Every structure is written in structure tokens, then in C-alpha cells.
Amino acid sequence: GDKLGRLVPTRVRGELEIREVVQVACGWNLTVAVTRDGRVFQMGATGAHNPEEDKAGGRQPMWEGATAPTQVDGALFGLFVEQVAVGMHHVAVVASRLHASGRVPEDGRRSRLLTWGKGAAGQLGTDGTRDHNAPQVVAGIDGRRVLHVACGGHHTLAVCEHDPRDH
């Protein structure tokens, strides 16, 4: 990969050449792809900087700033990603929990929203306005069925299935 602009469509080389891409979303300096097998690949950078996360691991995750498709892992391990949305400098994914058999149980389908990137406007929905270098579960709606997620420049919107137990 490289950081050169292109005036014509150009094949993305690397890990995605051997996978079937089912969705792509773009932000300011990043592109994120979801493959048929529910994996997420990032190219480019969100620009997130979290000194606590950097200190814990000693460096940014390998997908942050990658010039070639690089798989995003961390909290995505054991999940099947069904949808991605990208804002200017942040990413949101809707995921399903995988059973040990590798299948998605119906009660686990689209039940987890995860976000990462810049969070200065609260767009990550996690803990105020902190940036996160790696995927974080949005605890406020964890377990709710997320029907759709969308991102704008500095915001995220998730549409959840109605739960009749809510008032």
C-alpha cells in the first residue's frame, strides 16, 4: 500500500485480495472493509490518541495508520461483524456473538455495537469524550438488537429494535 491519491479505481492489494468484501465505508483518512466471514480490515488512521492505551501496550494498534488492509482485532475477537459505518475520524461496527460452534445464535444476532477512533464530541458512546485506539463495546445498548448504525462527521446513531420491557 501507499498514501498516493488515485484518479481512477485501483485494486487494493494485500489481505483483501483473498477475501470477499461485502461492505466498505470511508472517513477522512481511513477506509474500513467488512468481509463475508465477518472480519474487519482498516486502512489509514482515525487519528485517535489515548495516552493510557498507548502506555498499556506501548504503541498504537497495528491497524492504526496502516497503508495496507490490516485486520482489526481486540474486542472484535469472537464476534461476527455484520455492518460498518465510518465518521470523519471514528468507526462503528454492529456485531453478533459467535457460539463456540462458530454459528451465530439468534439471541446473539446484531447484539453488540463497538466503536473506536476520536471521541472528542462523544461520538463513540463509551466514556465521555476520550479517544480509543481499539474497539470498545458501547455498554449503554449492549445486548440490544442493533438494526442499523450510521456515522456523520462527529456523531453516531444506532437504531435498536424496540424492547417492550422498556418504558
Side-chain angles (χ1 to χ4, degrees), residues 68-136:
T70 304
Q71 186 172 343
V72 179
D73 52 23
L76 296 182
F77 181 78
L79 299 175
F80 181 92
V81 173
E82 308 225 15
Q83 184 190 354
V84 63
V86 176
M88 193 175 291
H89 300 285
H90 72 289
V91 181
V93 297
V94 177
S96 298
R97 294 184 177 124
L98 284 174
H99 188 271
S101 67
R103 294 185 176 197
V104 176
E106 191 54 36
D107 64 345
R109 184 163 295 287
R110 300 181 71 89
S111 62
R112 188 152 270 185
L113 179 67
L114 298 96
T115 59
W116 68 95
K118 287 191 173 186
Q123 64 268 45
L124 301 182
T126 53
D127 55 0
T129 58
R130 293 177 53 201
D131 291 0
H132 285 287
N133 303 326
Q136 306 289 312

Side-chain angles (χ1 to χ4, degrees), residues 3-98:
K3 295 182 179 183
L4 301 175
R6 303 284 195 273
L7 296 176
V8 296
T10 304
R11 176 183 288 278
V12 174
R13 301 288 179 195
E15 184 74 20
L16 293 180
E17 287 186 286
I18 61 169
R19 301 187 181 279
E20 185 178 350
V21 175
V22 294
Q23 188 184 7
V24 175
C26 301
W28 186 259
N29 284 315
L30 78 150
T31 302
V32 181
V34 177
T35 60
R36 172 119 4 244
D37 60 357
R39 297 174 194 226
V40 176
F41 291 83
Q42 181 174 314
M43 298 144 277
T46 64
H49 178 68
N50 184 318
E52 291 176 23
E53 291 176 8
D54 292 347
K55 195 182 315 173
R59 59 184 174 82
Q60 293 270 6
M62 59 189 213
W63 58 82
E64 181 65 17
T67 57
T70 304
Q71 186 172 343
V72 179
D73 52 23
L76 296 182
F77 181 78
L79 299 175
F80 181 92
V81 173
E82 308 225 15
Q83 184 190 354
V84 63
V86 176
M88 193 175 291
H89 300 285
H90 72 289
V91 181
V93 297
V94 177
S96 298
R97 294 184 177 124
L98 284 174

